[in-house]
Amino acid sequence: MKNREMKKRPSAQKGRTFNSKNKRISINQDPFFDAEEKGSKQRRKMEEDDDEDIESSSGEDEEDDGDEGGGFGSGRKGGEGEEDEEEEEETAGEMKLRLSKDLLKLMTEAEKEEQEEEEEGSGDDEKRRVEREGQRDSRVLKILQQQQLEESGRLRRAIASRVQKPETSDGFRVLVKHRQSVTAVALSEDDLRGFSASKDGSILHWDVDSGKTEKYTWPTDEVLKAHGAKDPQGQATKHSKHVLALAVSSDGRYLASGGLDRHVHLWDIRTRQHLQAFPGHKGPVSCLTFRKGTSELFSGSFDRAVKIWNVEDRAYISTLFGHQSEVVTIDCLRVERVLTVGRDRTMHLWKVPEERQLIFRAPASSLECCCFISNQEFLSGSDDGSIEHWNVLRKKPVHIVKNAHALVSSSQFEQENGGLPNGHIENGDQSPQNLSPLARSWISSICVCRSSDLAASGAGNGSVHLWAIQSESKGISPLFQLPLVGFVNSLAFAKSGRFLVAGVGQEPRLGRWDRIPVARNGVAVHSLKLS
């Protein structure tokens, strides 16, 4: 037996060499190591083929930890199936690309039809065909550039001069009825759908043309807690459905609402289902706005804070501090700048990436509303009935219209009103018998038709006023008065400027200190004829 083992050992060690100097063993031919080497080559080849599809688990863990540390909501939820579904859904950028391609396709087809007609009439040469293609491409480029400038706020469309004077038969028509005062209205990006909220807690989704309404149903308290809602604190003993603000995302997927329950609620527009409740505010959520073309949501509250959320990731981003009193109105365009007004007589322009803010102080005792004209200009309305025109380069208003919603006749309202040396305009006779009560002349809402020179303001004096935004030297000038009884708590223009939507009620949006019993609670629409 020993002899046999001794004979086998040399054969087992055949192919191996031992070096006494460096103590290394080299393996030349061994079936075990040959198989392992072949397997490693196959694995390397598979890894190279699938390198783009494989993500490390450590990277995912790091992303989840970052989302949890960044805010109240988790970063990403759901399994791989949900992520695949989200990837299939069209984003705002993809939608714009698709629309641009459709526009290019339509223009190409039109050019082809014209070319075929010309070829039938007379012969065509290569030179003329190339010229037509160049003209077509230049027209498409010009249209796309104009759209981009309008969306960015660098180009202002001249719409105010095209608005025709409304006839006596024209007026606001009540499209949607609410049981209590309407506090907020919003329009989708395509101007086909509208949304309204009321003090009774109802949120309605309606068609602009037909007026057909669909109601959003509030989930139970258990579902709200499962979606992130916290228990009521302070004076609130239960979740109040009193809604004060609405906002619609640019891609038409999300609707955000806020109110007395101190939460920001996120809804799915397609299914009208409640998705998420964002806690964090210590006071009622009074205003909301989406940044155009993104999933960033900004919320203002009575707790004097402005919070930033990411609705796509259901996450909290950051908080902006600076107001010394309640934040009541907020607005934002495509650039990451936020405009807010508060009861501290200040308006703040937040430059979010730079972590800076510009503070503008109004001569009024309190500012009530604001909106962007462009990235450099904006409007505000105050409780003394004044409308201020601002420029980002000046700390004081460049132009003020005083008593913009006083009860005066239309003849007194026109150009014979005298101008003051400081650029202020006095609208009408200021005698006490011609002025409405101070509370009803407050500018409760103001809006601008995006990328245009047309603006509208609302109060409780019985009419909505249209304004033409001119240069800094001329300021803003009045156009027409549109009769509407009640407190105009919210306004929204169609992007085309073809109609104006007003949320009206018997009571003001943020209080019950006055009441107009003859007013109708609901959403009113007024068509505008453009020449």
Side-chain angles (χ1 to χ4, degrees):
M1 294 292 292
K2 291 182 179 180
N3 294 332
R4 292 178 182 177
E5 291 176 0
M6 293 294 292
K7 291 180 180 179
K8 290 181 179 179
R9 284 177 184 174
S11 62
Q13 294 179 355
K14 188 178 180 180
R16 301 185 183 183
T17 59
F18 181 81
N19 192 340
S20 60
K21 293 182 180 180
N22 51 16
K23 305 294 182 179
R24 292 180 181 176
I25 297 175
S26 63
I27 302 169
N28 295 331
Q29 295 179 352
D30 192 294
F32 173 80
F33 292 100
D34 289 343
E36 183 180 9
E37 188 174 357
K38 291 180 180 179
S40 63
K41 290 181 179 179
Q42 293 178 356
R43 285 195 298 272
R44 283 198 299 269
K45 186 177 181 180
M46 293 175 62
E47 289 175 357
E48 291 175 357
D49 294 338
D50 300 335
D51 186 43
E52 296 179 356
D53 300 329
I54 298 176
E55 296 180 0
S56 64
S57 59
S58 61
E60 294 177 356
D61 295 339
E62 292 174 0
E63 291 180 3
D64 293 341
D65 295 341
D67 288 334
E68 290 177 3
F72 296 100
S74 59
R76 292 185 179 180
K77 297 184 179 180
E80 297 179 355
E82 294 181 2
E83 292 180 357
D84 294 339
E85 292 179 359
E86 291 179 358
E87 291 177 358
E88 293 177 358
E89 294 175 354
E90 189 178 41
T91 62
E94 293 172 349
M95 180 181 67
K96 289 185 178 180
L97 180 61
R98 176 176 57 81
L99 294 176
S100 301
K101 289 181 178 179
D102 293 342
L103 177 63
L104 181 61
K105 184 178 179 181
L106 290 174
M107 297 193 67
T108 305
E109 292 177 354
E111 289 288 339
K112 286 182 179 180
E113 292 178 358
E114 294 179 0
Q115 180 179 355
E116 291 175 358
E117 292 177 358
E118 291 180 1
E119 288 178 353
E120 291 177 358
S122 60
D124 193 8
D125 55 1
E126 184 69 17
K127 184 177 180 181
R128 291 184 60 188
R129 186 182 64 82
V130 173
E131 289 178 356
R132 283 200 306 271
E133 290 181 355
Q135 293 174 359
R136 179 197 64 198
D137 294 341
S138 62
R139 284 198 299 267
V140 173
L141 179 61
K142 185 177 180 180
I143 292 174
L144 295 178
Q145 286 178 344
Q146 184 174 2
Q147 290 180 350
Q148 196 274 336
L149 290 173
E150 290 177 356
E151 291 180 354
S152 62
R154 289 179 287 176
L155 182 64
R156 186 177 299 175
R157 295 176 293 164
I159 294 181
S161 59
R162 299 168 52 199
V163 178
Q164 299 181 7
K165 184 176 181 179
E167 300 178 359
T168 55
S169 59
D170 298 335
F172 279 98
R173 59 184 179 92
V174 178
L175 186 67
V176 180
K177 296 181 180 179
H178 283 268
R179 289 189 291 119
Q180 294 185 22
S181 297
V182 175
T183 55
V185 293
L187 289 173
S188 61
E189 196 72 13
D190 55 8
D191 294 336
L192 298 178
R193 297 169 295 174
F195 307 85
S196 58
S198 172
K199 288 185 177 182
D200 58 13
S202 62
I203 300 176
L204 298 182
H205 175 176
W206 34 271
D207 184 84
V208 174
D209 295 329
S210 63
K212 182 180 178 181
T213 61
E214 297 174 350
K215 187 176 182 180
Y216 285 72
T217 304
W218 283 94
T220 61
D221 292 343
E222 290 75 13
V223 175
L224 285 175
K225 290 182 180 180
H227 289 177
K230 302 296 183 181
D231 293 330
Q233 300 177 357
Q235 298 179 355
T237 58
K238 63 178 181 179
H239 287 288
S240 174
K241 303 302 188 296
H242 187 136
V243 182
L244 295 176
L246 288 178
V248 183
S249 61
S250 300
D251 56 6
R253 296 174 56 190
Y254 300 110
L255 173 70
S257 66
L260 296 185
D261 66 347
R262 308 177 183 183
H263 287 73
V264 176
H265 296 276
L266 189 65
W267 306 80
D268 190 334
I269 292 180
R270 294 163 294 184
T271 61
R272 301 190 305 280
Q273 297 295 320
H274 189 275
L275 297 178
Q276 188 76 19
F278 296 117
H281 279 295
K282 299 179 181 179
V285 179
S286 56
C287 48
L288 294 166
T289 185
F290 276 96
R291 186 159 74 91
K292 305 300 179 185
T294 69
S295 59
E296 283 187 353
L297 174 66
F298 298 88
S299 62
S301 171
F302 281 12
D303 62 3
R304 302 176 294 178
V306 177
K307 293 186 180 294
I308 310 175
W309 316 85
N310 189 312
V311 299
E312 197 70 39
D313 295 337
R314 315 284 197 271
Y316 160 81
I317 298 179
S318 63
T319 302
L320 307 177
F321 295 101
H323 277 288
Q324 302 300 315
S325 187
E326 297 96 336
V327 181
V328 292
T329 311
I330 192 170
D331 194 20
C332 183
L333 294 178
R334 185 172 297 274
V335 180
E336 202 167 359
R337 292 185 177 185
V338 187
L339 187 67
T340 59
V341 299
R343 294 283 173 80
D344 53 3
R345 296 178 57 187
T346 63
M347 177 166 51
H348 291 228
L349 179 63
W350 309 84
K351 298 181 179 180
V352 180
E354 297 90 343
E355 297 182 354
R356 295 175 54 198
Q357 57 177 308
L358 300 178
I359 301 177
F360 304 88
R361 302 188 183 276
S365 59
S366 177
L367 290 173
E368 294 294 320
C369 51
C370 67
C371 68
F372 273 108
I373 301 174
S374 65
N375 295 325
Q376 305 295 324
E377 295 179 80
F378 28 90
L379 296 176
S380 66
S382 57
D383 62 352
D384 63 356
S386 300
I387 296 178
E388 296 86 15
H389 182 197
W390 303 79
N391 189 293
V392 71
L393 301 177
R394 300 187 182 184
K395 291 292 185 179
K396 293 183 179 181
V398 296
H399 196 269
I400 299 177
V401 178
K402 286 193 172 182
N403 296 315
H405 279 259
L407 285 179
V408 295
S409 62
S410 59
S411 61
Q412 293 173 326
F413 188 79
E414 295 177 352
Q415 295 298 330
E416 65 267 16
N417 301 318
L420 300 182
N422 59 358
H424 297 186
I425 291 180
E426 298 288 347
N427 285 334
D429 187 5
Q430 302 305 314
S431 57
Q433 61 269 22
N434 287 337
L435 288 178
S436 64
L438 179 61
R440 297 189 182 182
S441 65
W442 285 18
I443 309 299
S444 55
S445 57
I446 193 168
C447 72
V448 174
C449 184
R450 294 301 186 193
S451 305
S452 75
D453 59 350
L454 180 62
S457 61
N461 70 324
S463 63
V464 174
H465 291 189
L466 298 181
W467 306 88
I469 304 171
Q470 302 174 350
S471 61
E472 289 189 12
S473 59
K474 297 182 180 180
I476 58 177
S477 60
L479 288 178
F480 309 110
Q481 297 184 21
L482 310 177
L484 183 60
V485 179
F487 286 97
V488 182
N489 295 321
S490 183
L491 290 169
F493 264 114
K495 289 185 64 177
S496 61
R498 296 287 179 179
F499 61 90
L500 174 66
V501 177
V504 65
Q506 297 179 350
E507 299 174 350
R509 182 173 76 99
L510 299 177
R512 304 187 66 181
W513 35 261
D514 197 2
R515 182 177 176 83
I516 303 176
V518 296
R520 301 177 64 182
N521 299 319
V523 178
V525 179
H526 195 292
S527 299
L528 300 177
K529 297 180 181 180
L530 304 180
S531 58

